[in-house]
Amino acid sequence: MTERFRRLSTPRTAMIAAVACLVLTTCSPAVSTLTVDGVAARGAGGPLRSQSVPVTADPDAPGAVPASRTVDPPDLPTQGAGQGETAPVSGGDAAAAGDFEEVAVQTPTLRLDGVPLERETILQEVLGIEGVAFATALTIGQVDIASKDVVTAVRVAAVDPAGFRVLTPQVTADAVEVWQRISEGDAAFLHDVGHRLELELGQRLPAANRTTLRVGALASNGAPPVADAIVSSDTGEELGLEGTRSVLISVAGDSSAGDVAERVEQAIGMVPEVLEQPTEQRAFLSGAAARNAFEPFNYVSFGDGMIQIDSAWVRRNIVRAEVPILRGAVVCHRLLIPQLRGALQEIKDRGLADLIDPTQYGGCWVPRHILFNADRGLSMHAWGLAADFNVSTNGYGATPQMDPRIVEIFDRWGFVWGGRWGTPDGMHFELGAILQ
């Protein structure tokens, strides 16, 4: 090995250095480190920097990356935290789960905008065109909502839940609870909108002509998104939603989008837009040691701060596991689990468990960009390599309230604490070293 070893003087010094990639440690926690390529000031992505490049078809082309390695798959979680979060049902008759059976999603390929309301048979006309696999109609307009005493205009799409579901990302289509909430009259907001407006699941927002609009779910609705929030057609009417009527169309696999677009124009006299398809990206951790330890993955960004990761990578790397103190199973990267379990066990053994509120656990694997901002890099949560604790008292940018003894223990178990960053994130602990 060409990397050098150095002795650490104290446990805490193990994770304070801001390195550009993973630090591998050997022997006992925080005894020695194996440094890897280079040192850099901490950016928004943390000491473990996640980078992305477009996926290219030619393996010899500039910027191309090698295929993923294969390992035995661990248990697969059904979905990551943050992908289709829903509020509990409160009153009324919940839609039965059987009302939303499993679907194979299709990708929207064409869009008709400005469809006149009098064209009531537009879907039947479109579905009768050769090469059209599926179509659904929606109305998009603006609705004023009030949150935190601030009125904000948001773009809302009124949809037929059963039809629109087919043309959403698979992770959203699979989240039956999202469609139940929409059918019951709630709204499903995009993740970045929910983050920006500080919305809470179950919150009732003063909205338009309606007394309140309930935040029933946070979920991606397209790539790119069709609107800031989606509601049922009935709820749209109650809101007095006025806007553009559109039709989304998926094209059969053996048909050309351009050819079908021409047939649609000839048949109904309207020119459909050919939608640009999302670009698949390749994410990896910088530094030779980090790239050897952590398999890179392919993903598609939904445009609302969330991403869809290659399901084979998820099966190989993301697991459910029981850990001390927290209730139920956590969903994290398989290499994080031993150290998370070790840190929490030490906290428990030292009689400090009451300093971690299990009801304020903020999750581990959340496939998203930093701060749910699609223009920023991927969060370490996208890798399942970070966990958030005591979220209500350790908000991003606020003065951290985490007990120093908790921080010390996580330091010793190879974690980096976000409370030390220029903009503190006191709830956040991310993996900075693998302990052998």
Side-chain angles (χ1 to χ4, degrees), residues 132-197:
V132 170
F134 190 82
T136 190
L138 58 156
T139 300
I140 302 175
Q142 284 197 341
V143 174
D144 290 335
I145 64 170
S147 177
K148 307 293 183 182
D149 299 323
V150 176
V151 177
T152 304
V154 298
R155 294 179 69 246
V156 175
V159 306
D160 165 32
F164 182 72
R165 179 184 177 218
V166 176
L167 298 183
T168 61
Q170 186 73 61
V171 68
T172 302
D174 289 342
V176 172
E177 297 85 355
V178 170
W179 305 102
Q180 290 175 330
R181 300 298 179 272
I182 293 172
S183 295
E184 292 157 10
D186 291 354
F189 286 84
L190 296 176
H191 291 85
D192 60 340
V193 175
H195 181 77
R196 173 167 49 86
L197 300 183

Side-chain angles (χ1 to χ4, degrees), residues 255-277:
S255 300
S256 159
D259 291 344
V260 176
E262 290 183 4
R263 294 185 199 125
V264 170
E265 181 181 2
Q266 293 170 0
I268 66 175
M270 298 182 65
V271 181
E273 175 189 1
V274 178
L275 299 176
E276 183 178 354
Q277 299 305 303

